[in-house]
Amino acid sequence: MKRRDLLKAAAILPVATLGTVHASGTDKKEKVLFDQEYDLIIVGSGFAGLSAAYSANKAGLKKILILEKMVAYGGASAICGGIVCMPGTRLQEKHGIEDSPELLVKDMVKVGRGFNHPELAMTMATQASTAYDMMMECGVEFKDKLLRLGSHSAPRGHIPSNASGGGIVVPMHKYLLEKGIQFQNRTNVSAIINDGSSVSGVAVQTNFDSKTGRFDKELSYRSRHGVVVASGGWGSDKQFVKTTMPVYAGLRSTAQSGATADMIKSLLAAGSLPVMLDMYQLGPWGSPDERPAGPGSFFSDYAFSEGIAVDPKTGKRFVNELASRRTRSEAELVVMQKGTKETPNYPFTFCSEETTKHAEGFKAAYRDGAVKRSDSIAELAERHGVDEATLTQTIADWNKIVDGAPDPFNKPLDVRTELKAPFYSFRLSPVLHYCMGGVAITPDAEVIDATTCEPIRGLFAAGEIAGGVHGMDRLGGCSSIDGLVFGQIAGRTAAKYKANA
């Protein structure tokens, strides 16, 4: 049997095999001839994959390979806003912020509507500060301030100095290269290889073109300490999204083009237990005026915090602007349903000029036209099709809340900024942002078998590809810490494991 035919046979089996592969329709067994061998193979070069390599190297593994399907390294982690929500860090202590892992878990469970796996949520929260220490060692720099995101009980959002996930990915990548970690891009993992008792390698396609699906060679790589899957979500896979959640099929997605369902399918084929594959998070900071997760989405976090969001039809607030992402997105969709294709009714958030002076993303979003300036209430009302008198009263009511009056929406205020002209506004339209489900894992990042509900030997997962940590919805800034924490755990667990031991 040729290697090409062998790997095709392996890919279609419920469990692709390492030491022996059964050719379809025969009893003949063929040994897999591995082309290369490593201490550890990691699939994905984002936060989770980089953290897995860091901790595995710290635990003594030397020959570590990180595989990336795309041309550029970092995946969704490199293009996200990079905010990392962590309790108990030195930066929180410096700013006198009272916080705790228990408080973070309480927030997570509330937003996740009780569907969180308790051990996973607590593991992430209690080990969050270790991720901060790891990033500091790798040369990551954070701004000397903290941001409270929606539904968080304390300001715990750590912002990279360049306000981008690249501010974390790039220094960690450089650090790992200096440690001898190997990176290989344009490499698609086509199958997880299992010998019937443990996972010990992957089948890959090299020089892979994500646009055409073409590649040069099919090879097999052996990993002495199993395989860590940190490939992220599948938000760009319209077929998979439509099949699992048809109502979201038409939404734009923040995911990068390589975020397809290939690896979740491979994990399921390897016998992994699925968790909530039909559950997705929407981003309430999407806009019809820019690409998904553009700079305006970062600016809007400040507008939500220090300004208000308004329904053009009523001229009034319609939601707690710092509620969970799901709550805000659902409220925005209700507002949008009042419009028509010819006359849409996009909700909008706006703030005063004082807020723009410290809001990341503002300059780029204003330059690109997603954020608009209005020099008076009349101009703001005309721009968004709102009754001027009603909007004037809404702004006056908000300014009373800023001065200490009770807020009917119970929005927490860390910064009290009066709303006054000039105003800077941003139209809202939710976007598909995060895959809440994935494969089931243990607190040690071991992938769970669907048949036995026990760990699959040699198979580990971390980050968005794993489900259960966040429940039905996720707090902002917690996908990053999820990947960073469970990536470290996966690397440590894999270092302790040895195939066929």
Side-chain angles (χ1 to χ4, degrees):
M1 182 181 285
K2 296 179 180 179
R3 174 176 285 113
R4 177 185 294 272
D5 296 327
L6 177 64
L7 292 176
K8 284 182 178 178
I12 63 174
L13 291 174
V15 179
T17 58
L18 157 65
T20 58
V21 174
H22 293 270
S24 179
T26 74
D27 292 328
K28 184 179 179 181
K29 295 181 180 180
E30 295 285 347
K31 292 285 184 180
V32 173
L33 302 176
F34 288 100
D35 299 283
Q36 297 179 31
E37 186 168 323
Y38 299 89
D39 286 341
L40 180 64
I41 292 173
I42 299 167
V43 184
S45 63
F47 293 152
L50 297 173
S51 300
Y54 169 91
S55 62
N57 180 252
K58 285 282 188 181
L61 301 191
K62 301 299 182 184
K63 195 174 182 182
I64 299 172
L65 175 66
I66 296 180
L67 299 174
E68 171 57 52
K69 179 173 68 173
M70 306 302 285
V71 173
Y73 294 106
S77 299
I79 61 174
C80 74
I83 297 177
V84 189
C85 286
M86 300 174 280
T89 65
R90 295 193 299 275
L91 189 59
Q92 268 197 329
E93 293 174 4
K94 176 182 176 182
H95 287 272
I97 295 171
E98 295 185 9
D99 199 4
S100 68
E102 291 76 17
L103 187 57
L104 174 55
V105 170
K106 183 178 179 181
D107 293 341
M108 291 172 65
V109 171
K110 182 178 180 180
V111 168
R113 304 190 181 185
F115 283 77
N116 317 66
H117 291 213
E119 282 188 276
L120 298 180
M122 186 56 73
T123 297
M124 189 201 85
T126 54
Q127 297 194 31
S129 61
T130 67
Y132 179 81
D133 295 336
M134 172 187 67
M135 288 186 282
M136 292 295 98
E137 182 180 346
C138 292
V140 176
E141 297 180 356
F142 289 103
K143 293 179 179 290
D144 189 19
K145 64 178 182 180
L146 292 148
L147 180 64
R148 182 205 292 258
L149 297 179
S151 291
H152 282 273
S153 294
R156 53 172 76 105
H158 295 63
I159 308 169
S161 57
N162 68 345
S164 166
I168 298 172
V169 168
V170 171
M172 287 193 69
H173 183 236
K174 180 180 178 182
Y175 173 92
L176 293 172
L177 283 174
E178 292 172 351
K179 294 295 182 180
I181 308 303
Q182 299 177 51
F183 288 79
Q184 186 173 309
N185 66 345
R186 296 192 63 189
T187 302
N188 182 54
V189 174
S190 57
I192 296 168
I193 301 176
N194 189 305
D195 65 4
S197 63
S198 63
V199 167
S200 37
V202 292
V204 303
Q205 300 165 334
T206 61
N207 289 321
F208 181 78
D209 187 327
S210 63
K211 294 182 179 179
T212 64
R214 295 173 182 167
F215 55 90
D216 286 349
K217 296 180 181 180
E218 290 179 312
L219 303 173
S220 56
Y221 294 168
R222 174 177 168 78
S223 180
R224 288 183 284 269
H225 290 265
V227 174
V228 174
V229 179
S231 53
W234 51 89
S236 290
D237 198 313
K238 292 188 177 297
Q239 182 188 39
F240 202 86
V241 172
K242 181 179 180 180
T243 304
T244 51
M245 182 57 77
V247 72
Y248 289 167
L251 292 177
R252 296 186 303 156
S253 173
T254 62
Q256 48 99 7
S257 61
T260 59
D262 299 339
M263 281 312 301
I264 188 67
K265 291 176 181 177
S266 292
L267 285 165
L268 294 175
S272 304
L273 177 66
V275 175
M276 298 171 66
L277 294 185
D278 60 347
M279 192 58 57
Y280 298 87
Q281 180 185 69
L282 303 184
W285 26 251
S287 173
D289 301 319
E290 68 171 11
R291 61 178 173 81
S297 63
F298 212 146
F299 159 76
S300 69
D301 279 328
Y302 288 88
F304 280 134
S305 178
E306 299 177 27
I308 58 176
V310 168
D311 175 354
K313 286 286 187 183
T314 66
K316 299 179 181 180
R317 294 170 67 203
F318 59 93
V319 71
N320 173 351
E321 293 87 356
L322 288 180
S324 72
R325 287 176 169 178
R326 181 174 297 277
T327 297
R328 283 181 285 164
S329 294
E330 290 174 349
E332 289 171 11
L333 289 172
V334 170
V335 170
M336 291 170 62
Q337 288 171 0
K338 298 177 182 179
T340 65
K341 185 177 181 180
E342 295 74 22
T343 310
N345 188 54
Y346 290 114
F348 63 99
T349 183
F350 67 99
C351 62
S352 296
E353 192 166 59
E354 185 66 27
T355 298
T356 67
K357 294 177 181 178
H358 58 266
E360 279 79 26
F362 165 70
K363 290 182 179 179
Y366 184 56
R367 176 200 65 206
D368 296 343
V371 172
K372 304 287 188 182
R373 173 179 168 135
S374 299
D375 290 318
S376 65
I377 295 179
E379 185 178 349
L380 180 66
E382 182 179 5
R383 182 182 301 282
H384 294 282
V386 187
D387 177 73
E388 181 183 346
T390 305
L391 185 59
T392 298
Q393 186 60 54
T394 296
I395 292 173
D397 290 343
W398 173 252
N399 285 334
K400 291 177 182 177
I401 293 170
V402 170
D403 288 337
D407 179 5
F409 290 101
N410 296 315
K411 174 174 144 181
L413 288 179
D414 294 313
V415 179
R416 295 179 179 271
T417 305
E418 180 185 0
L419 270 180
K420 60 182 180 180
F423 304 104
Y424 293 84
S425 61
F426 181 70
R427 296 199 300 172
L428 302 166
S429 176
V431 291
L432 187 71
H433 181 54
Y434 192 83
C435 301
M436 301 308 305
V439 295
I441 61 171
T442 71
D444 290 324
E446 303 159 299
V447 175
I448 297 174
D449 187 285
T451 302
T452 65
C453 291
E454 296 292 334
I456 298 174
R457 297 186 70 249
L459 186 57
F460 315 95
E464 193 173 357
I465 196 71
V469 178
H470 307 285
M472 287 185 68
D473 199 21
R474 176 178 64 76
L475 287 166
C478 281
S479 63
S480 47
I481 192 58
D482 177 5
L484 292 162
V485 165
F486 280 101
Q488 285 191 98
I489 293 172
R492 289 195 299 267
T493 304
K496 296 176 184 176
Y497 166 83
K498 192 167 184 180
N500 300 318

